[in-house]
């Protein structure tokens, strides 16, 4: 059976409240008492009960990690980084799947039931009102991979998706492509809208002929299905797919059609997930700095635990082109 706080108190010759204070961050306890308690705890193999501690401190140290696209392999990397970073800070991640959830109020009720101390919304496709709903419920919230804004309603940490669209257009132009296409994710996603807006704007500025279409989801199957439709008609010379997993689906479709990448059709993605660098894929892409975004998101939510009224701000990280094999060389 688990060693109890009472047994530690008896072994150390102190009160139970002294043991509780020893294992409560910020609580007052003398150095002599702390040493006696820690020695007794080590001898007995005692570990503090996190749930009991939360009753004393008023904090559970639970951070809700909310997302909705569990079919995109990039989120394996995202969740790995988030959970490890939170745990390194002494916090406990609570992963919540909001796939197919349309009501922000439902997610608020769910997270409230677990008494989370804060929430990180890790999604570029959930509507902004999801993060706002947590703020209005009085729960500290950070929207990671959210939409850039000069006056955000909540803390946003991510990238400039409009600029990523511009980067993709310039990269295609540098390689001599003149008829190009945008193959985006779900049309209603703000990330899709912004990447398309930047792409179309820059294509118009530098004189590229530009078309656009949308996949049903940020998934391999959706990217593949949309590219199969495109190659059966009159495909562009190159595509900005708006996401690596869409690009890999498109790559599969192009090869099935008997065409070659980049000889017949060029591809550029966005994210630089691990699979993009696999030898049989070798995807040229726009790298999103995941570790920096996630580190900053955890730092911000930790700040908000002590300062819930911290004014919302938007922190944007720069992206860069990663050269591989799905675009021809610059002309």
């Amino acid at each position: 059976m688990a060693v109890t706080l009472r047994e530690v108190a008896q072994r150390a010759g102190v009160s139970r409240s002294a043991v509780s204070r020893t294992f409560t961050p910020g609580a007052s306890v003398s150095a002599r008492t702390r040493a006696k308690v820690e020695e007794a705890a080590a001898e007995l193999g005692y570990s503090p009960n996190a749930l009991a501690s939360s009753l004393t401190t008023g904090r559970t140290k639970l951070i809700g990690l909310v997302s909705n696209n569990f079919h995109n392999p990039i989120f394996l990397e995202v969740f790995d980084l988030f959970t490890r970073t939170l745990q390194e800070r002494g916090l406990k991640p609570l992963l919540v799947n909001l796939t197919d959830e349309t009501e922000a109020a439902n997610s608020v009720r769910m997270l409230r039931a677990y008494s989370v101390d804060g929430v990180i919304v890790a999604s570029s496709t959930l509507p902004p009102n999801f993060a706002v709903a947590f703020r209005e419920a009085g729960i500290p919230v950070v929207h990671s991979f959210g939409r850039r804004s000069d006056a955000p309603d909540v803390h946003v940490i991510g990238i400039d998706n409009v600029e990523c669209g511009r980067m993709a257009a310039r990269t295609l132009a540098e390689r001599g492509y003149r008829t190009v296409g945008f193959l985006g994710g779900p049309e209603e996603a703000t990330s899709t809208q912004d990447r398309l807006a930047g792409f179309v704007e820059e294509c118009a500025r530098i004189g590229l002929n530009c078309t656009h279409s949308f996949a049903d989801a940020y998934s391999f199957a959706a990217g593949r299905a949309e590219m199969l439709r495109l190659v059966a008609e009159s495909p562009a010379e190159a595509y900005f797919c708006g996401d690596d997993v869409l690009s890999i689906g498109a790559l599969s479709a192009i090869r099935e059609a008997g065409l070659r990448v980049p000889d017949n059709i060029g591809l550029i993605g966005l994210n630089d997930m691990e699979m993009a660098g696999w030898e049989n894929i070798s995807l040229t892409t726009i790298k999103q700095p995941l570790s920096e975004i996630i580190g900053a998101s955890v730092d911000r939510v930790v700040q908000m635990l002590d300062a819930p009224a911290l004014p919302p701000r938007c922190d944007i990280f720069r992206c860069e082109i990663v050269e591989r094999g799905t675009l021809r060389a610059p002309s």
Side-chain angles (χ1 to χ4, degrees), residues 162-175:
V162 175
E163 178 57 24
C164 286
R166 298 190 191 109
M167 290 173 67
R170 290 194 295 268
T171 300
L172 296 182
E174 289 166 0
R175 284 148 179 76

Side-chain angles (χ1 to χ4, degrees), residues 186-208:
E187 188 172 3
E188 67 275 8
T190 59
S191 53
T192 299
Q193 297 166 9
D194 290 348
R195 291 166 193 174
L196 173 61
F199 189 72
V200 169
E201 173 193 301
E202 193 68 6
C203 285
R205 189 187 71 81
I206 57 186
L208 302 184

Side-chain angles (χ1 to χ4, degrees), residues 127-140:
N129 69 299
F130 272 77
V132 171
F134 288 110
R135 186 209 67 187
E136 292 177 344
I139 303 173

Side-chain angles (χ1 to χ4, degrees), residues 63 78 167 175 178-179 226 240 280 288 291 310 323:
I63 302 297
V78 168
M167 290 173 67
R175 284 148 179 76
R178 288 293 171 263
T179 301
E226 183 57 22
F240 169 41
N280 64 325
Q288 183 169 194
S291 59
L310 193 67
E323 299 279 0

Side-chain angles (χ1 to χ4, degrees), residues 222-243:
R224 174 180 161 82
E226 183 57 22
M227 183 55 73
L228 284 173
R229 185 188 71 79
L230 292 168
V231 296
E233 298 175 358
S234 54
E237 297 176 308
Y239 288 89
F240 169 41
C241 290
D243 184 278

